[in-house]
Amino acid sequence: MSAPRTPAAAHRLIAVVALVPLMAALALWAFAWPAARTAPRDLPLGVAGPAAAAAQAEQRLTRHEGAFEIHRYPDEAAARDAIADREVYGAVVVTGHGPRLLTASAASPAVAQLLRQAVAGPAADGGGHVPVADVVAAPADDPRGAAFAAGALPLTLAGLAAGAAVTLLGLRGLPAVAALGGASAAVGVVAAAITHSWLGVLTGHWWAEAGVFGLVSLAVASAVAGLAALLGTAGMGLTAAVMMLLGNPFSGASSAPEMLPAPAGALGQWLPPGAGVSLLRSVAYFDGAAATGPALILTWWAVLGLGAVLLGAALRPGPQAPAGRAAEREPALAR
């Protein structure tokens, strides 16, 4: 009777003991580090009013070194237009009666709250009251943006599930592309029905929101299936890890990209979850303002992923039955 292969078992034990804490550390870094270092970093903020008074307000704001990226506007109307176009998250308007703060909680409730605390106080010059106007308000059913932020992870999971299902079921080439497109379209309709029609979290055009949901799902799913078609199951695991450990926590869904530490905020916007969050905000609350950039990024992911699916099917064709196999299975009637 042969002895048990203890060295191999010991190696597997060591691998488990070493890899599990490493994965836990990586996940904690990805999710906890951005949350623990949340602060404004070159956050676009407007200053409007007469030149001399606006310069004084800008000087006070720049005391927060590196916190704000100041944009100057001639008057309150121009500042409001800039907020509606998603050029800035808010604006300090200097008037003859004192400063006035404009915010947009729909762009980020966390940023709107930050501006009330960090801008309205210093702008008051001695503790006077600073009026605050919410130019583009968050929906009444989700004033703090909690439900909006919570939707980012399930949407990523739906894309991962679709890509993994296509891979594990052995779909290749055009059938795989059709399955990914159909599943993503269904995800878009279901997600819009839940978030818009039922929960009231979104307030834009229903079909436009469904299109955004579907495009995000397609971008994630095609990336998973595409890399799996080229590299095998290792490609599927790699893509899933990137989407979950980088794309989701770096998306800025609960705050804003400019509130995350570098380079997390910028990197997150180049991944489908972050681009999807930005595009959905634009479509749901700002009539599509500033939607071009994130829409192109998601389309780029989807096109490359679907192209990889087709390329993988061409480079790694599935096994085919040898010629004459079917004839061998037929009974020899002539015997």
Side-chain angles (χ1 to χ4, degrees):
M1 184 175 180
S2 59
R5 300 177 62 182
T6 53
H11 292 163
R12 289 193 290 268
L13 174 63
I14 294 173
V16 170
V17 171
L19 289 178
V20 170
L22 179 62
M23 291 299 297
L26 182 60
L28 284 172
W29 166 80
F31 283 87
W33 170 60
R37 297 292 184 267
T38 299
R41 295 169 176 84
D42 292 326
L43 187 76
L45 179 67
V47 174
Q56 294 179 0
E58 181 176 347
Q59 184 178 8
R60 287 193 295 268
L61 292 171
T62 53
R63 293 174 184 172
H64 304 273
E65 185 176 356
F68 301 111
E69 178 186 278
I70 304 299
H71 297 248
R72 294 285 292 272
Y73 300 102
D75 51 33
E76 180 174 341
R80 285 176 173 269
D81 289 342
I83 293 173
D85 291 338
R86 301 204 68 189
E87 295 178 4
V88 292
Y89 284 91
V92 176
V93 180
V94 182
T95 69
H97 302 286
R100 175 181 172 86
L101 176 63
L102 306 178
T103 64
S105 59
S108 171
V111 170
Q113 181 64 27
L114 167 76
L115 293 179
R116 289 188 182 94
Q117 297 174 350
V119 176
D125 279 339
H129 175 69
V130 176
V132 179
D134 199 346
V135 177
V136 185
D141 290 330
D142 190 28
R144 298 183 180 179
F148 180 93
L153 179 58
L155 196 60
T156 302
L157 292 175
L160 294 177
V166 165
T167 301
L168 297 177
L169 291 175
L171 296 176
R172 302 167 59 81
L174 291 177
V177 170
L180 292 170
S184 298
V187 167
V189 171
V190 170
I194 293 175
T195 56
H196 184 122
S197 303
W198 179 36
L199 298 178
V201 173
L202 307 180
T203 58
H205 189 277
W206 196 95
W207 284 108
E209 294 165 354
V212 172
F213 283 125
L215 183 57
V216 175
S217 178
L218 181 61
V220 175
S222 60
V224 172
L227 205 56
L230 295 176
L231 303 179
T233 54
M236 181 173 62
L238 175 61
T239 310
V242 170
M243 296 299 175
M244 286 299 298
L245 296 179
L246 297 180
N248 197 69
F250 293 178
S251 68
S254 60
S255 56
E258 295 84 358
M259 297 287 287
L260 302 179
L267 176 60
Q269 293 305 294
W270 284 98
L271 296 173
V277 165
S278 295
L279 180 58
L280 188 59
R281 285 193 191 278
S282 294
V283 169
Y285 308 130
F286 293 87
D287 294 326
T292 302
L296 289 176
I297 291 174
L298 290 171
T299 302
W300 177 79
W301 275 94
V303 169
L304 287 183
L306 295 177
V309 169
L310 297 175
L311 180 61
L315 295 178
R316 303 172 62 184
Q320 297 180 353
R325 176 73 59 82
E328 293 176 1
R329 294 175 181 172
E330 293 294 331
L333 300 179
R335 293 182 182 176

